[in-house]
Amino acid sequence: MRRNFILALIGIGIGGIGFGLVTPVTIILLEQNHAPSIIIGSTAMVGYISIVIFSKYTGRLIDAFGVKTILAVGLFIWMLSAFGHMFWYIYPLLYFIKIIMGVGGTFIFVSTEVMINAYSDETNRGKNIGLYVVILSVGIAIGTLLIWTIKLGNWVPFVIGSSIVLFVFALQMILMIDVNLNAENKKIEKMPLTKMPVLSLFSAFIYGVFESSIMVALPLYGLRNNFSEIEVSYFLTSFVLGGIILLYFIGHLADKIMKYKLLLLISFLLGLLFILPITTIDFLYLVIIFFFIGGIVPSFYTVGLNYTVEEVEKKFMAQANGYFTMMYGTGTIAGPILGTILIDLNKENGYWIFAAGLCFCFFFLFKYYKKKISH
């Protein structure tokens, strides 16, 4: 079991390189070739539709076929989709590729998260989930640093991304031991959405909005405010590095204090941080701000998931993880369109005003109305 735990961490870290490379490069290529904002935003958005549709079924598929099988299918689908991005300039095909990639990504993330949660308990789950996201963030950060390979050819980053995931696929298939968490249950009981804590659903949704909108809005914000491609890659890398350095400590904190109170603190601090880019467009100042934003944004996911696993019945762990990912996916659908629209409305301040307001809404909603809307 320990081998599976380590393999899940290694796999998501190496695979993260591809995740951090493919999407930003696609956005940069579309922007440089003067694609309409609606195309840029909607192609990023359409992949997340798959997450919403397939997440709630992924948990049940894991219960039925085991973690290794679903993870293998996800890695294979994602690898083919990353390679297919070489044809980014054929818009109808790009939409299809993004949808298929969303299916693969859903299988990958739900499978690895179920593995991490299965081998954790109340004393170390926050730390382990934090470690999982930190290692994923390390991979994504390395991926953003490889954006420069676009200068070697607009197909090169996509070949790199697919090759990396091919390696992960081979590693997991050779070394991972399959496990079925519900092997003793002859009949798999379906978990209704109503059993999910409302706080968990909201935290997953808000993280989805931020995760997808920032990956679209940040490159557009940089390019349209006269920052270079290299500076944009530094923005993205700083954002991801924040998650690497700060998130692990937040995960530790989640094992020591109430998750509800920690989520309120996270939302309030993040709202304050999102206001800061309005005050200046100085490059170094923004790099520092994006570092701290990147460190706190993923906490909506890690702390929310930790809270979810503690609150639901253990037999529903995989399905609850699927519902949590589904709500994340729902947020990601709105994110890219919101990001592009807000940058179009005001390239300097539009996105940051919206992001700060969303954080403060979450804070006040659950601070003053928790008893009415929580589970």
Side-chain angles (χ1 to χ4, degrees):
M1 284 191 175
R2 185 172 180 82
R3 179 198 292 185
N4 281 4
F5 180 86
I6 294 172
L7 282 171
L9 293 177
I10 293 173
I12 203 65
I14 298 173
I17 299 174
F19 304 155
L21 180 61
V22 171
T23 296
V25 166
T26 307
I27 292 169
I28 289 172
L29 286 170
L30 291 170
E31 174 70 9
Q32 288 178 338
N33 285 269
H34 310 293
S37 294
I38 188 64
I39 295 293
I40 298 174
S42 60
T43 54
M45 176 199 72
V46 72
Y48 296 116
I49 294 176
S50 302
I51 297 176
V52 176
I53 295 174
F54 286 94
S55 289
K56 74 174 188 177
Y57 301 111
T58 303
R60 277 181 266 171
L61 288 172
I62 290 172
D63 285 340
F65 299 105
V67 177
K68 181 177 179 178
T69 299
I70 302 305
L71 178 59
V73 172
L75 287 168
F76 188 76
I77 291 173
W78 203 96
M79 175 193 67
L80 293 180
S81 302
F83 188 78
H85 274 71
M86 290 192 299
F87 305 103
W88 59 270
Y89 48 86
I90 307 175
Y91 296 158
L93 180 59
L94 180 60
Y95 280 104
F96 175 75
I97 290 170
K98 288 290 188 182
I99 292 172
I100 299 302
M101 176 172 276
V103 177
T106 301
F107 286 2
I108 292 169
F109 286 114
V110 175
S111 297
T112 50
E113 287 166 10
V114 167
M115 189 77 73
I116 298 299
N117 283 314
Y119 301 145
S120 304
D121 57 35
E122 288 74 14
T123 64
N124 61 11
R125 183 169 287 112
K127 181 186 70 175
N128 288 343
I129 294 175
L131 180 62
Y132 165 83
V133 177
V134 164
I135 292 176
L136 170 62
S137 298
V138 171
I140 292 174
I142 295 172
T144 61
L145 290 174
L146 291 174
I147 289 175
W148 67 269
T149 58
I150 196 174
K151 296 184 180 297
L152 302 178
N154 58 28
W155 55 271
V156 173
F158 304 126
V159 172
I160 293 173
S162 59
S163 299
I164 287 168
V165 177
L166 175 61
F167 172 76
V168 175
F169 173 81
L171 184 71
Q172 304 294 343
M173 291 308 95
I174 294 171
L175 298 178
M176 181 172 280
I177 301 171
D178 201 7
V179 58
N180 192 322
L181 301 177
N182 279 302
E184 298 179 358
N185 297 332
K186 295 181 179 180
K187 183 177 180 180
I188 299 173
E189 184 179 348
K190 181 180 177 181
M191 175 187 176
L193 182 61
T194 53
K195 285 186 175 289
M196 284 289 291
V198 175
L199 181 65
S200 301
L201 298 177
F202 271 74
S203 64
F205 175 80
I206 288 187
Y207 174 69
V209 171
F210 283 146
E211 192 266 351
S212 64
S213 63
I214 288 176
M215 294 304 289
V216 172
L218 201 51
L220 294 180
Y221 168 80
L223 294 172
R224 294 185 186 182
N225 285 281
N226 301 317
F227 292 102
S228 68
E229 294 172 9
I230 299 300
E231 288 173 324
V232 168
S233 72
Y234 287 153
F235 285 160
L236 291 167
T237 302
S238 178
F239 176 82
V240 176
L241 284 175
I244 295 170
I245 297 172
L246 298 180
L247 187 60
Y248 185 65
F249 296 103
I250 296 175
H252 270 285
L253 195 60
D255 290 327
K256 301 181 185 301
I257 67 174
M258 290 180 60
K259 282 71 176 175
Y260 161 71
K261 291 183 177 180
L262 184 55
L263 281 168
L264 289 183
L265 177 62
I266 286 166
S267 62
F268 187 78
L269 290 177
L270 194 57
L272 296 178
L273 284 169
F274 274 127
I275 293 174
L276 295 180
I278 297 173
T279 63
T280 184
I281 57 171
D282 178 77
F283 173 70
L284 291 177
Y285 181 69
L286 290 172
V287 167
I288 295 171
I289 293 171
F290 295 147
F291 173 84
F292 284 101
I293 290 176
I296 297 179
V297 162
S299 302
F300 276 113
Y301 194 90
T302 58
V303 180
L305 181 58
N306 192 350
Y307 180 81
T308 303
V309 175
E310 285 189 358
E311 293 294 313
V312 302
E313 296 180 61
K314 301 308 177 186
K315 64 181 178 180
F316 291 134
M317 182 189 299
Q319 294 184 55
N321 214 130
Y323 279 130
F324 190 85
T325 305
M326 180 185 73
M327 287 303 297
Y328 154 78
T330 303
T332 59
I333 290 176
I337 295 295
L338 278 172
T340 53
I341 290 175
L342 291 165
I343 294 295
D344 280 345
L345 290 174
N346 188 310
K347 66 180 182 180
E348 293 94 359
N349 303 325
Y351 181 78
W352 312 119
I353 293 172
F354 159 79
L358 187 58
C359 288
F360 290 137
C361 284
F362 181 92
F363 174 81
F364 288 112
L365 181 65
F366 282 97
K367 183 173 178 60
Y368 295 110
Y369 297 99
K370 179 178 182 289
K371 291 183 180 180
K372 294 182 180 180
I373 64 175
S374 62
H375 66 287

